[in-house]
Amino acid sequence: MRRNYLIVGLVFLVFFVLSFLTNILGPIIPDIIDSFHVSMGAAAFLPFSFFLAYGVFSIPAGFLIDRFTEKPVMIAAFLAAVAGALSFAVHPTYAVAVASLFTIGAGMAMLQVAINPLLRVAGGEEHFAFNSALAQFVFGAASFLSPLIYSYMVNNLPEAAGRGAFLRMLAHITPAHLAWVSIYWIFAAVSAAMVVLLIAMRFPRIEKTEEEQTGSVGTYFSMLRRGMVWLYFGCIFAYVGSEQGTADWISKFLSQYHGYDPHTTGASAVSWFWGLMTAGCFVGMILLKAFDSRRVLLGFSIGALATFTAALFGPATVSLYAFPLIGFFASIMWPTVISLALNSVSEHHGSFAGILCTGIVGGAVVPLVIGRLGDLIGLRFGMMVLYVTFACVLSVGLWSKPIITNATFGTKSEKAAVR
């Protein structure tokens, strides 16, 4: 189809909102532990329930998109986010939080399955690595914003009487001892606004080739018999586990080992993790126009492992600055691995995207493993699991053999012989 920049812009907006809803989990984990009096393992079960939804709904979402098209599925996804956010905002308990985050995660899984192939088709396959990095830039910007809003709410809601109508309204509907829950009222409002936008927007039909469509159940089984599919699935699992396993535990680590306040310094560190991920995407977009994406991935993976080591074992000041730097080096991992994966097959991209999005369940498993190990042997040793997951991502730069390589300055995308 002809390039559709309206759809590309919509995809970037969806990435922004998706990130805004998703990446608040790290800053609120210390509050979850204190407010609900649970262990680190129990607190980690909340991101587990969120990302578990990706494993459950990613492949079914592909079938729904083929049956009903992207627009109604995306509307349903945001309606699920509204329902999940409202349920916890109205009744903030640990049990409701688990169900709420699973519901929101189901909606986000549907969105991920819809927007990645959509971006590839609407923006052009030869520009997919660059556009994915730009989408990650948008993703990181929203993730930088949400912890700052959380910190603002926690620090200002208790004194809302002298603030403004908006804060007074939130203070009226939020329990006084759970000021952090107010962020979920904001999530509900943002999701509702997206529903209204999607309903009002004229959404042109995206004509996908047979290769871009989701395919049948038999297609999935055929894809799952290919070792390369499992390798990419495992690396997506490892990347999302690395990203969430870092972000979810930054604030708790800095509080437990270095005595930093999770409401201010901890939340700020998480915010800068995502902020530097945004900056890393900007640098990555330039590098992806200058070098083969596999070389860029190798360099950034080595940088992530080095800064992670400094964060884990360095003194307080080093740890405080090294954790956010991990976000800088993690910035291009998701778009690069996704683009290498989808550009490594000549057919069934829709089915492959569903399988890859199922790998986002790594964001459920890895933080939970870290939390459980943290209860048993200490959080520092629990987080050493991330050495394995970051190494898995690094390996993609060594063994991947894409059919279509990323377009660089002065060259066109190169097609390799079909393997």
Side-chain angles (χ1 to χ4, degrees):
M1 65 169 287
R2 295 176 59 187
R3 302 300 173 238
N4 192 316
Y5 297 107
L6 177 65
I7 294 300
V8 172
L10 176 66
V11 169
F12 289 157
L13 177 61
V14 172
F15 265 110
F16 183 91
V17 177
L18 190 155
S19 172
F20 185 77
L21 298 178
T22 299
N23 292 315
I24 196 63
L25 292 170
I28 69 174
I29 277 184
D31 279 318
I32 290 167
I33 293 171
D34 293 340
S35 300
F36 299 140
H37 308 291
V38 296
S39 66
M40 285 190 288
F45 195 76
L46 294 177
F48 176 85
S49 67
F50 180 91
F51 286 99
L52 178 64
Y54 279 88
V56 174
F57 285 97
S58 290
I59 289 177
F63 290 113
L64 288 173
I65 291 166
D66 273 1
R67 175 68 178 83
F68 298 106
T69 73
E70 287 81 5
K71 179 175 178 176
V73 172
M74 292 169 72
I75 291 172
F78 279 114
L79 285 173
V82 172
L86 277 179
S87 64
F88 183 67
V90 171
H91 192 64
T93 65
Y94 177 80
V96 173
V98 172
S100 165
L101 286 170
F102 183 83
T103 304
I104 297 173
M108 299 305 99
M110 294 163 68
L111 288 173
Q112 283 277 14
V113 175
I115 61 181
N116 279 299
L118 204 57
L119 183 60
R120 186 177 188 271
V121 173
E125 62 184 17
E126 72 277 15
H127 300 294
F128 186 46
F130 179 83
N131 285 337
S132 293
L134 183 56
Q136 188 78 346
F137 181 93
V138 174
F139 189 92
S143 300
F144 175 76
L145 182 63
S146 58
L148 296 180
I149 293 176
Y150 150 83
S151 184
Y152 177 82
M153 291 298 171
V154 168
N155 290 319
N156 289 278
L157 211 62
E159 301 174 356
R163 297 292 178 174
F166 179 68
L167 282 178
R168 288 199 302 270
M169 179 189 69
L170 283 179
H172 180 70
I173 58 180
T174 304
H177 64 291
L178 296 173
W180 59 275
V181 172
S182 60
I183 194 75
Y184 280 86
W185 288 107
I186 297 175
F187 289 169
V190 170
S191 300
M194 287 301 299
V195 171
V196 173
L197 174 64
L198 287 169
I199 291 173
M201 182 178 177
R202 185 177 179 182
F203 205 98
R205 182 174 179 83
I206 301 298
E207 298 292 341
K208 296 181 182 179
T209 65
E210 183 178 350
E211 288 76 21
E212 299 288 351
Q213 294 172 4
T214 298
S216 64
V217 174
T219 301
Y220 280 100
F221 282 113
S222 174
M223 294 290 289
L224 290 172
R225 285 195 289 268
R226 300 171 65 172
M228 181 267 295
V229 170
W230 283 102
L231 282 173
Y232 277 115
F233 169 85
C235 289
I236 290 294
F237 182 101
Y239 166 70
V240 182
S242 300
E243 176 194 276
Q244 295 300 319
T246 304
D248 286 355
W249 291 109
I250 288 175
S251 185
K252 182 63 178 176
F253 184 96
L254 292 175
S255 172
Q256 180 173 319
Y257 290 100
H258 301 302
Y260 288 114
D261 184 350
H263 290 154
T264 53
T265 307
S268 177
V270 177
S271 177
W272 278 106
F273 172 87
W274 298 112
L276 287 175
M277 180 175 282
T278 306
C281 286
F282 180 75
V283 175
M285 284 188 290
I286 298 173
L287 293 176
L288 286 168
K289 284 297 183 182
F291 303 102
D292 187 293
S293 59
R294 290 165 290 186
R295 294 183 180 180
V296 178
L297 181 63
L298 283 171
F300 274 56
S301 297
I302 292 169
L305 285 166
T307 50
F308 175 64
T309 300
L312 212 58
F313 299 105
T317 303
V318 171
S319 185
L320 180 63
Y321 288 102
F323 268 123
L325 277 172
I326 298 170
F328 178 89
F329 290 109
S331 59
I332 58 91
M333 292 180 181
W334 168 268
T336 304
V337 175
I338 284 284
S339 61
L340 284 170
L342 292 181
N343 286 337
S344 293
V345 297
S346 57
E347 71 283 324
H348 308 310
H349 295 107
S351 300
F352 197 13
I355 293 169
L356 292 175
C357 285
T358 303
I360 294 175
V361 75
V365 176
V366 175
L368 181 63
V369 169
I370 291 172
R372 294 295 188 192
L373 290 175
D375 287 330
L376 294 173
I377 59 176
L379 185 56
R380 175 176 281 124
F381 291 103
M383 291 187 74
M384 290 177 69
V385 169
L386 298 178
Y387 279 115
V388 177
T389 57
F390 275 123
C392 288
V393 178
L394 182 150
S395 75
V396 179
L398 300 174
W399 55 258
S400 61
K401 296 179 180 179
I403 298 169
I404 300 172
T405 58
N406 57 300
T408 56
F409 291 123
T411 68
K412 294 183 178 180
S413 174
E414 297 178 0
K415 273 197 175 184
V418 177
R419 294 169 178 84

